[in-house]
PDB file of all heavy atoms in Angstrom:
ATOM      1  N   GLY A 790      12.889  66.375 -54.430  1.00 89.00           N
ATOM      2  CA  GLY A 790      14.303  66.702 -54.631  1.00 89.00           C
ATOM      3  C   GLY A 790      14.894  65.984 -55.831  1.00 89.00           C
ATOM      4  O   GLY A 790      15.596  66.597 -56.648  1.00 89.00           O
ATOM      5  N   VAL A 806      11.716  61.184 -68.381  1.00 66.00           N
ATOM      6  CA  VAL A 806      10.340  60.709 -68.502  1.00 66.00           C
ATOM      7  C   VAL A 806       9.683  60.596 -67.128  1.00 66.00           C
ATOM      8  O   VAL A 806       8.495  60.900 -66.959  1.00 66.00           O
ATOM      9  CB  VAL A 806      10.294  59.352 -69.235  1.00 66.00           C
ATOM     10  CG1 VAL A 806       8.947  58.671 -69.057  1.00 66.00           C
ATOM     11  CG2 VAL A 806      10.577  59.540 -70.723  1.00 66.00           C
ATOM     12  N   PRO A 917      28.702  36.599 -79.845  1.00 53.00           N
ATOM     13  CA  PRO A 917      28.827  36.779 -81.298  1.00 53.00           C
ATOM     14  C   PRO A 917      28.564  35.504 -82.098  1.00 53.00           C
ATOM     15  O   PRO A 917      28.214  35.577 -83.264  1.00 53.00           O
ATOM     16  CB  PRO A 917      30.272  37.244 -81.461  1.00 53.00           C
ATOM     17  CG  PRO A 917      30.987  36.627 -80.290  1.00 53.00           C
ATOM     18  CD  PRO A 917      30.007  36.611 -79.165  1.00 53.00           C
ATOM     19  N   LEU A 930      12.844  42.240 -73.810  1.00 88.00           N
ATOM     20  CA  LEU A 930      13.091  43.378 -74.696  1.00 88.00           C
ATOM     21  C   LEU A 930      14.119  43.053 -75.770  1.00 88.00           C
ATOM     22  O   LEU A 930      13.973  43.471 -76.921  1.00 88.00           O
ATOM     23  CB  LEU A 930      13.555  44.589 -73.876  1.00 88.00           C
ATOM     24  CG  LEU A 930      12.499  45.209 -72.959  1.00 88.00           C
ATOM     25  CD1 LEU A 930      13.093  46.374 -72.169  1.00 88.00           C
ATOM     26  CD2 LEU A 930      11.299  45.694 -73.760  1.00 88.00           C
ATOM     27  N   ASN A 947      26.288  37.871 -86.735  1.00 72.00           N
ATOM     28  CA  ASN A 947      26.698  38.073 -85.353  1.00 72.00           C
ATOM     29  C   ASN A 947      25.462  38.536 -84.593  1.00 72.00           C
ATOM     30  O   ASN A 947      24.371  38.587 -85.152  1.00 72.00           O
ATOM     31  CB  ASN A 947      27.881  39.041 -85.226  1.00 72.00           C
ATOM     32  CG  ASN A 947      27.560  40.432 -85.730  1.00 72.00           C
ATOM     33  OD1 ASN A 947      26.521  40.988 -85.403  1.00 72.00           O
ATOM     34  ND2 ASN A 947      28.467  40.987 -86.542  1.00 72.00           N
ATOM     35  N   LYS A 983       7.268  46.093 -79.731  1.00 92.00           N
ATOM     36  CA  LYS A 983       6.148  46.645 -78.972  1.00 92.00           C
ATOM     37  C   LYS A 983       5.540  45.566 -78.074  1.00 92.00           C
ATOM     38  O   LYS A 983       5.167  45.835 -76.928  1.00 92.00           O
ATOM     39  CB  LYS A 983       5.092  47.199 -79.925  1.00 92.00           C
ATOM     40  CG  LYS A 983       5.586  48.383 -80.740  1.00 92.00           C
ATOM     41  CD  LYS A 983       4.552  48.855 -81.746  1.00 92.00           C
ATOM     42  CE  LYS A 983       5.087  50.023 -82.577  1.00 92.00           C
ATOM     43  NZ  LYS A 983       4.117  50.475 -83.602  1.00 92.00           N
ATOM     44  N   ILE A 990       5.694  45.492 -69.350  1.00 86.00           N
ATOM     45  CA  ILE A 990       4.701  46.282 -68.614  1.00 86.00           C
ATOM     46  C   ILE A 990       3.727  45.357 -67.895  1.00 86.00           C
ATOM     47  O   ILE A 990       3.355  45.598 -66.740  1.00 86.00           O
ATOM     48  CB  ILE A 990       3.949  47.226 -69.571  1.00 86.00           C
ATOM     49  CG1 ILE A 990       4.888  48.322 -70.073  1.00 86.00           C
ATOM     50  CG2 ILE A 990       2.724  47.840 -68.889  1.00 86.00           C
ATOM     51  CD1 ILE A 990       4.284  49.207 -71.133  1.00 86.00           C
ATOM     52  N   SER A1013      -7.824  54.181 -40.380  1.00 90.00           N
ATOM     53  CA  SER A1013      -8.498  53.802 -39.126  1.00 90.00           C
ATOM     54  C   SER A1013      -7.927  54.577 -37.938  1.00 90.00           C
ATOM     55  O   SER A1013      -8.671  55.050 -37.069  1.00 90.00           O
ATOM     56  CB  SER A1013      -8.352  52.296 -38.889  1.00 90.00           C
ATOM     57  OG  SER A1013      -8.908  51.559 -39.960  1.00 90.00           O
TER      58      SER A1013
END
Side-chain angles (χ1 to χ4, degrees):
V806 165
L930 292 178
N947 62 47
K983 295 176 181 178
I990 291 174
S1013 301

